[in-house]
């Protein structure tokens, strides 16, 4: 069936995801989206702009220095209509910081599977929303995020299984909406399952796994869109609706690469200004360091020893294990600021205490001696460096007879030990054994917070 142009309403949906505070492309993104919104208005077409989460990343000084509110300001300036949260908004910030993150937002925050511990919806968010175009087309939008159960629980949130929550919202709004869109920070595999399980979803805009769908992907009658990461692309969905029946008659997806967009001298100045604003905000003294603490990628160092002692003092564990590659520099003599600690340890990584039987601890220790770690390149998992570096052991050592010790205790099968480590080592990628053992995540403190705490405590008491 063919449709006359005058009987068709056109809706443009632009979407970004997983920006991770990579602002180098932001001026182009802002200019492009504002221009497209103006063009749509001039043409009498509807336009919506959505972000699918992880816009915030505390590895950037602008985000760290403004507690993420700088990111919200940038979204406001563009004119976003709604966003959902990613794990970087959800679990790298304290509960109090997340509760106030969006207080100045000029857009809706949509998240159906994050609740207060009593099961109520957070006051700063909605499970879903229905937007209406000037043509009277009603667009229902649902948001959902990846359920990191242990992390959210530790921070004082209740995160729930997303597919069940999405279904409940879908049942609620499907009869009220002509088009239903899901903002899914769940990953490509979950998005495909969602589309197959709930064909009443017209569009799923995805993120989390940094996947790129240049022309979208169809699962039966559901269209998936995704725009990779770091602002490399802007996603676009074009929807045509029959004005007479309000039925979807056509949908197509595409992306616009930002590296082909004009970059002006003013754009570069703006990006540098974000950095400068963040660095200035972080010039807060934390402790005075009386002597230089150098780092090494392939061996123990004065800095790794200092950090190891900090980790044990904070967690009260018997021994510690971490990688030398977490340090992205050294600490000079003199006042150490929040900015110095952030530059040194920009990773959104939390300390973790794992409880191990002696035989398990021995297995982890022997795995940590593998020379492959030194030059292993790491991407994701909260790590913001490049190389893993060698494994560093604090109070975990063999004596001359080859007996492994954890602190002052010989490591024996059947005995239990507390190992302080990094949360990224408990996800199963590096040390599979650590994925399922009992553990305690230390949150919301990042490892840089632990180092700052120890420096203040250690040198004040010295």
């Amino acid at each position: 069936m063919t449709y006359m142009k005058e009987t068709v309403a056109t809706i443009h949906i632009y979407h970004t995801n997983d920006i991770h505070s990579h602002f180098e492309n932001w001026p182009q993104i802002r200019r492009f989206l504002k221009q497209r919104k103006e063009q749509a208005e001039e043409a009498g077409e509807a336009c919506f702009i959505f972000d699918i989460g992880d816009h915030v990343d505390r590895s950037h000084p602008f985000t760290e220095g403004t507690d993420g509110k700088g990111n919200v300001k940038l979204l406001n300036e563009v004119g976003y209509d709604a966003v959902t949260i990613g794990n970087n908004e959800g679990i790298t910030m304290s509960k109090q910081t997340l509760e106030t993150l969006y207080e100045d937002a000029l857009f809706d925050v949509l998240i159906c599977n994050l609740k207060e511990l009593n099961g109520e919806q957070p006051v700063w968010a909605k499970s879903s929303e229905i937007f209406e175009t000037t043509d009277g087309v009603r667009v229902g939008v649902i948001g959902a995020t990846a359920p990191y159960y242990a992390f959210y629980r530790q921070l004082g949130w209740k995160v729930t299984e997303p597919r069940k929550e999405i279904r409940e919202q879908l049942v609620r709004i499907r009869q009220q909406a002509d088009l239903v869109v899901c903002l899914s920070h769940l990953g490509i595999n979950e998005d495909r399952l969602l589309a197959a399980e709930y064909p009443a979803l017209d569009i799923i805009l995805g993120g989390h796994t940094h996947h790129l769908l240049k022309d979208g992907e169809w699962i039966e009658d559901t269209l998936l869109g995704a725009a990779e990461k770091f602002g490399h692309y802007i996603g676009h969905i074009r929807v045509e609706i029959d004005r007479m029946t309000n039925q979807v008659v056509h949908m197509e997806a595409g992306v616009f690469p930002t590296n082909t967009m004009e970059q002006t001298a003013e754009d570069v100045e703006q990006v540098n200004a974000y950095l400068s604003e963040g660095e200035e905000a972080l010039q807060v003294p934390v402790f005075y360091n009386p002597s230089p603490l150098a780092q090494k990628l392939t061996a123990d160092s004065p800095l790794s020893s200092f950090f190891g002692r900090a980790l044990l003092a904070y967690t009260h564990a018997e021994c510690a294990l971490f990688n030398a590659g977490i340090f992205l520099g050294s600490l000079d003599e003199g006042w150490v600021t929040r900015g110095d600690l952030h530059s040194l340890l920009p990773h959104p990584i939390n300390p973790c205490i794992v409880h191990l039987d002696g035989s398990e601890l021995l297995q982890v220790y022997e795995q940590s001696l593998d020379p492959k770690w030194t030059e292993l390149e790491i991407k994701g998992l909260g790590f913001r460096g490049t190389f893993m570096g060698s494994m560093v052991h604090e109070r975990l050592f063999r004596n001359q007879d080859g007996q492994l010790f954890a602190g002052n205790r010989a490591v024996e099968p059947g005995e239990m030990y507390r190992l302080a480590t990094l949360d990224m080592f408990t996800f199963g990628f590096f040390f599979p054994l650590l994925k399922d053992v009992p553990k305690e995540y230390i949150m919301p403190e990042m490892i840089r917070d632990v180092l700052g705490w120890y420096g203040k405590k250690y040198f004040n008491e010295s």
Side-chain angles (χ1 to χ4, degrees):
M1 182 181 296
T2 58
Y3 293 83
M4 300 295 291
K5 181 176 176 58
E6 57 269 21
T7 68
V8 171
T10 299
I11 299 174
H12 297 277
I13 298 174
Y14 294 94
H15 56 101
T16 54
N17 62 273
D18 297 278
I19 297 292
H20 282 278
S21 295
H22 275 255
F23 302 123
E24 58 270 19
N25 299 311
W26 191 254
Q28 296 95 294
I29 293 172
R30 178 177 56 201
R31 184 163 51 245
F32 177 88
L33 289 175
K34 293 182 79 169
Q35 287 174 349
R36 287 296 175 123
K37 198 158 197 173
E38 290 172 3
Q39 290 171 7
E41 290 175 358
E42 291 172 1
E45 299 172 343
C47 180
F48 295 100
I49 305 176
F50 301 130
D51 186 79
I52 323 301
D54 276 3
H55 190 282
V56 161
D57 194 313
R58 290 180 58 184
S59 63
H60 195 287
F62 180 70
T63 300
E64 181 77 349
T66 65
D67 285 333
K69 292 186 178 182
N71 295 66
V72 172
K73 180 182 176 182
L74 299 186
L75 292 165
N76 282 341
E77 290 172 354
V78 171
Y80 275 74
D81 295 284
V83 308
T84 194
I85 72 166
N87 43 289
N88 273 265
E89 288 89 1
I91 63 175
T92 72
M93 294 181 156
S94 69
K95 189 172 193 288
Q96 181 180 8
T97 302
L98 181 55
E99 286 174 335
T100 59
L101 175 62
Y102 297 105
E103 60 187 1
D104 296 324
L106 303 178
F107 48 82
D108 288 313
V109 181
L110 306 178
I111 175 75
C112 69
N113 66 318
L114 182 69
K115 315 288 184 183
E116 300 286 355
L117 291 179
N118 62 7
E120 293 183 0
Q121 185 74 18
V123 296
W124 47 269
K126 303 174 183 178
S127 294
S128 59
E129 182 60 280
I130 295 178
F131 300 90
E132 188 167 345
T133 72
T134 55
D135 290 309
V137 178
R138 296 159 300 177
V139 180
V141 186
I142 305 166
T145 198
Y148 288 86
Y149 297 105
F151 288 95
Y152 278 108
R153 184 169 57 248
Q154 185 77 14
L155 287 167
W157 295 111
K158 179 182 179 182
V159 70
T160 56
E161 200 285 314
R163 290 209 296 277
K164 173 180 176 291
E165 300 287 350
I166 291 170
R167 180 183 180 278
E168 288 185 6
Q169 294 304 312
L170 186 56
V171 169
R172 189 178 70 83
I173 69 173
R174 179 70 268 190
Q175 296 304 313
Q176 306 172 51
D178 306 304
L179 181 75
V180 179
V181 180
C182 181
L183 311 182
S184 165
H185 195 85
L186 301 175
I188 182 61
N189 292 332
E190 285 296 312
D191 290 351
R192 287 168 175 156
L193 288 172
L194 267 179
E197 193 169 347
Y198 304 130
L201 287 171
D202 296 299
I203 298 169
I204 299 174
L205 303 178
H208 187 48
T209 45
H210 299 181
H211 51 288
L212 175 65
L213 301 176
K214 285 189 175 182
D215 301 307
E217 178 177 307
W218 286 95
I219 307 288
E220 298 298 333
D221 293 329
T222 302
L223 180 58
L224 277 56
E228 207 217 45
K229 63 179 180 179
F230 301 167
H232 293 159
Y233 297 89
I234 299 167
H236 177 225
I237 307 284
R238 179 186 173 94
V239 184
E240 293 181 354
I241 305 261
D242 178 17
R243 294 175 189 264
M244 305 301 294
T245 64
N246 276 5
Q247 295 293 308
V248 175
V249 295
H250 179 73
M251 291 196 298
E252 59 185 32
V255 296
F256 296 92
T258 54
N259 65 3
T260 63
M261 299 176 185
E262 178 189 10
Q263 184 181 53
T264 67
E266 289 76 14
D267 293 342
V268 176
E269 289 178 7
Q270 184 63 74
V271 172
N272 290 335
Y274 298 146
L275 183 62
S276 297
E277 182 179 342
E279 290 176 339
E280 184 176 349
L282 293 173
Q283 291 308 305
V284 179
V286 179
F287 66 88
Y288 187 85
N289 181 30
S291 59
L293 293 172
Q295 66 97 11
K296 296 179 182 178
L297 184 64
T298 58
D300 293 358
S301 66
L303 181 58
S304 68
S305 177
F306 188 72
F307 176 74
R309 297 198 304 274
L311 204 53
L312 292 183
Y314 202 85
T315 62
H316 303 290
E318 294 165 280
C319 53
L321 173 69
F322 54 93
N323 59 304
I326 59 172
F327 306 111
L328 305 192
S330 301
L331 282 182
D332 296 328
E333 177 183 344
W335 279 103
V336 176
T337 67
R338 283 187 64 204
D340 295 326
L341 292 173
H342 183 264
S343 296
L344 182 71
L345 296 164
H347 331 280
I349 291 176
N350 301 97
C352 182
I353 305 166
V354 292
H355 298 257
L356 299 171
D357 174 88
S359 59
E360 294 171 326
L361 181 56
L362 177 60
Q363 181 180 333
V364 170
Y365 175 78
E366 290 179 343
Q367 288 177 344
S368 73
L369 301 177
D370 192 324
K372 72 178 181 184
W373 300 120
T374 304
E375 296 183 359
L376 183 67
E377 291 192 40
I378 307 298
K379 293 183 180 179
L381 304 176
F383 187 66
R384 300 295 183 256
T386 303
F387 296 104
M388 175 76 84
S390 61
M391 290 294 170
V392 178
H393 309 90
E394 186 70 24
R395 303 203 70 189
L396 184 63
F397 60 94
R398 289 189 188 274
N399 66 7
Q400 292 181 343
D401 299 325
Q403 172 67 52
L404 183 65
F405 275 77
N408 298 322
R409 297 172 60 202
V411 175
E412 302 287 353
E415 296 291 322
M416 295 301 296
Y417 304 85
R418 289 158 51 90
L419 172 72
T421 189
L422 313 180
D423 63 17
M424 72 173 184
F425 288 163
T426 69
F427 301 150
F429 296 99
F430 306 117
F431 298 95
L433 185 152
L434 297 185
K435 184 176 181 180
D436 298 317
V437 297
K439 59 183 72 70
E440 305 166 49
Y441 292 108
I442 309 299
M443 301 181 76
E445 298 88 340
M446 302 292 181
I447 53 177
R448 58 178 170 269
D449 299 320
V450 171
L451 187 64
W453 168 84
Y454 186 69
K456 187 184 298 185
K457 172 183 170 66
Y458 179 79
F459 290 122
N460 283 350
E461 294 179 354
S462 299

